[in-house]
Amino acid sequence: MNSTSSSLHATPVTAPERIASIDVLRGFAVLGILIVNMQGFARVSSAYMNPTSGSAFVGEEAWIWTVVYILADTKFLSIFSMLFGAGIAMMSERMMSRGLSGTSLHYRRQFWLLLIGLVHAYLIWHGDVLVAYALCGFLLYPLRKLNARTLLWMGGCVVAFVVPFWLLAGLSIPYWPEADRLELVAQWAPPQEVLDSQIAAFRGGLGEQLAARAPIALELQTSAFLGLFLWRAGGLMLVGMGLYKLGVLAAARSVVFYRRMAVIGIGTGLPLAVAGAWYKVDQGFAFETVMFQGALFNYVGSVGVFLGYIGLVMLMVQFSRLPELTARLAATGRMALTNYVTQSLICTLVFYGHGLGLFERVAAPGRMGIVFAIWVLQLLWSPWWLKRFRFGPLEWVWRSATYMKPQPMRV
């Protein structure tokens, strides 16, 4: 049976086929991503990497940035990336168990994810990650049948590629042409008139916003993708395939395994993240030392931290601790695509000119308050929705397009 004809008989994952621990982990990740993304929603684009850009880095701003950087920055996005890879392996395995070839199904699935990501990036919020995941999914699918340990080693090497690359880039800055160096410094810490122009655009109408946001989205999908996302997200997707095949994400390993995973991961990764935060602050967020070398502490440390977080979540599932929260996280994870895009819709309505226009008007404590409010909303509405419908709204669109026919929606 060829891949085209077989995929026409394929169906979305059924309730008995779902792995509850992966749903919980996905819900944990999609909520955690918002902590970091909030900086991108509420502040000028340069502040995402350089929090001193356009604002006084003192008091609550400094403390909240430090905590978010250490505990959340890159960690939840890493889990999200890893789960996309696990999803590829899981879907391929499910098709094979049914005697079907899922190749054409996979590429249609990635195509529609790419389209959803492009709409999200250019019409809603420029900080989209779905485009990167779709592109990596196109490239990595042929590797899905490798054994688990090969996938883990390969994924680790791909992630690690960035380390020497960034280190050499940082050390080479003194030798760059002056014009190139000054251009990047101006992007790292733009002059006030540039910041004022961006603030006015984001507080303006949709046309003004799109003109300001489209170049940022394009840069993320081109130079940033080739310089970072291809390696980080792509490598972690391979790691996710490997961890799925080893049963790590299904809470199928021993309690001792997950305890060691949590202790060793967090114990090794967190000190590096702390060192990275200290180094950046100590260097005054200077471009020459912080842009590349200064980012490597957290880049490496985040691997240990996110693996530690996975260990903690698996233990929570195994011991059935906080069952109400676990059930709500699982529902949030089943609707991760809808919840991810909904976060963007809510935040752009709060901060951009077509909504409340609070861009660069909300301090760090207020931004964290908004994060908490959205968490509560999504933890409440996701179970409510799934009691009535089989899929989240965007999950239904994605699946219906992938399988080329409307899927039954009502429970």
Side-chain angles (χ1 to χ4, degrees), residues 80-154:
F80 212 42
S81 302
M82 183 212 61
L83 287 172
F84 264 87
I88 292 173
M90 189 163 33
M91 185 173 179
S92 175
E93 184 181 276
R94 184 165 56 86
M95 292 296 102
M96 290 177 64
S97 70
R98 296 178 180 182
L100 305 173
S101 171
T103 300
S104 62
L105 188 72
H106 168 80
Y107 285 108
R108 279 204 308 275
R109 187 171 184 264
Q110 296 304 118
F111 169 78
W112 287 109
L113 180 64
L114 176 63
L115 188 61
I116 292 170
L118 289 171
V119 171
H120 179 232
Y122 288 97
L123 298 184
I124 301 174
W125 184 53
H126 52 271
D128 169 81
V129 297
L130 301 176
V131 169
Y133 292 159
L135 294 175
C136 288
F138 280 122
L139 297 171
L140 300 178
Y141 182 72
L143 303 177
R144 72 199 183 281
K145 293 183 180 180
L146 295 174
N147 67 64
R149 282 174 171 71
T150 300
L151 287 166
L152 291 177
W153 276 107
M154 185 179 294

Side-chain angles (χ1 to χ4, degrees), residues 80-389:
F80 212 42
S81 302
M82 183 212 61
L83 287 172
F84 264 87
I88 292 173
M90 189 163 33
M91 185 173 179
S92 175
E93 184 181 276
R94 184 165 56 86
M95 292 296 102
M96 290 177 64
S97 70
R98 296 178 180 182
L100 305 173
S101 171
T103 300
S104 62
L105 188 72
H106 168 80
Y107 285 108
R108 279 204 308 275
R109 187 171 184 264
Q110 296 304 118
F111 169 78
W112 287 109
L113 180 64
L114 176 63
L115 188 61
I116 292 170
L118 289 171
V119 171
H120 179 232
Y122 288 97
L123 298 184
I124 301 174
W125 184 53
H126 52 271
D128 169 81
V129 297
L130 301 176
V131 169
Y133 292 159
L135 294 175
C136 288
F138 280 122
L139 297 171
L140 300 178
Y141 182 72
L143 303 177
R144 72 199 183 281
K145 293 183 180 180
L146 295 174
N147 67 64
R149 282 174 171 71
T150 300
L151 287 166
L152 291 177
W153 276 107
M154 185 179 294
C157 289
V158 172
V159 172
F161 171 81
V162 171
V163 175
F165 179 75
W166 279 11
L167 185 60
L168 291 173
L171 294 174
S172 70
I173 289 176
Y175 306 100
W176 291 5
E178 186 68 6
D180 292 344
R181 187 184 67 81
L182 291 176
E183 180 181 352
L184 286 178
V185 169
Q187 294 177 15
W188 177 260
Q192 191 59 46
E193 58 268 23
V194 173
L195 296 175
D196 291 340
S197 175
Q198 187 177 112
I199 292 169
F202 277 56
R203 291 178 184 172
L206 281 172
E208 295 170 272
Q209 294 173 36
L210 293 176
R213 285 172 16 217
I216 303 172
L218 182 61
E219 182 178 358
L220 290 174
Q221 293 160 9
T222 52
S223 60
F225 176 76
L226 294 174
L228 174 62
F229 296 129
L230 173 62
W231 311 101
R232 180 77 184 198
L236 289 176
M237 286 170 71
L238 291 173
V239 170
M241 293 181 194
L243 292 179
Y244 168 75
K245 290 189 175 189
L246 291 174
V248 173
L249 305 180
R253 306 299 291 262
S254 69
V255 170
V256 172
F257 176 89
Y258 290 117
R259 282 177 177 165
R260 287 177 178 170
M261 188 175 179
V263 171
I264 295 173
I266 295 174
T268 57
L270 208 58
L272 282 171
V274 171
W278 174 85
Y279 182 80
K280 287 190 170 189
V281 173
D282 181 68
Q283 294 293 308
F285 291 90
F287 171 80
E288 289 79 5
T289 53
V290 169
M291 175 61 185
F292 295 109
Q293 303 103 305
L296 286 176
F297 293 97
N298 189 53
Y299 183 88
V300 176
S302 65
V303 175
V305 176
F306 95 74
L307 289 172
Y309 286 171
I310 292 173
L312 291 176
V313 172
M314 295 301 108
L315 287 171
M316 183 175 72
V317 172
Q318 283 189 336
F319 284 106
S320 300
R321 297 290 170 84
L322 304 171
E324 178 70 18
L325 176 61
T326 302
R328 291 187 180 280
L329 283 172
T332 303
R334 286 177 60 187
M335 295 175 54
L337 179 61
T338 294
N339 282 322
Y340 173 69
V341 175
T342 301
Q343 289 172 2
S344 298
L345 288 170
I346 293 171
C347 290
T348 52
L349 283 172
V350 170
F351 295 108
Y352 292 174
H354 61 278
L356 299 178
L358 296 181
F359 190 75
E360 283 288 358
R361 286 175 169 148
V362 181
R367 298 196 297 270
M368 290 303 102
I370 294 169
V371 168
F372 181 75
I374 294 174
W375 283 357
V376 171
L377 176 65
Q378 295 193 325
L379 287 169
L380 290 174
W381 100 289
S382 298
W384 179 90
W385 179 275
L386 290 175
K387 286 179 180 178
R388 294 158 177 79
F389 304 101

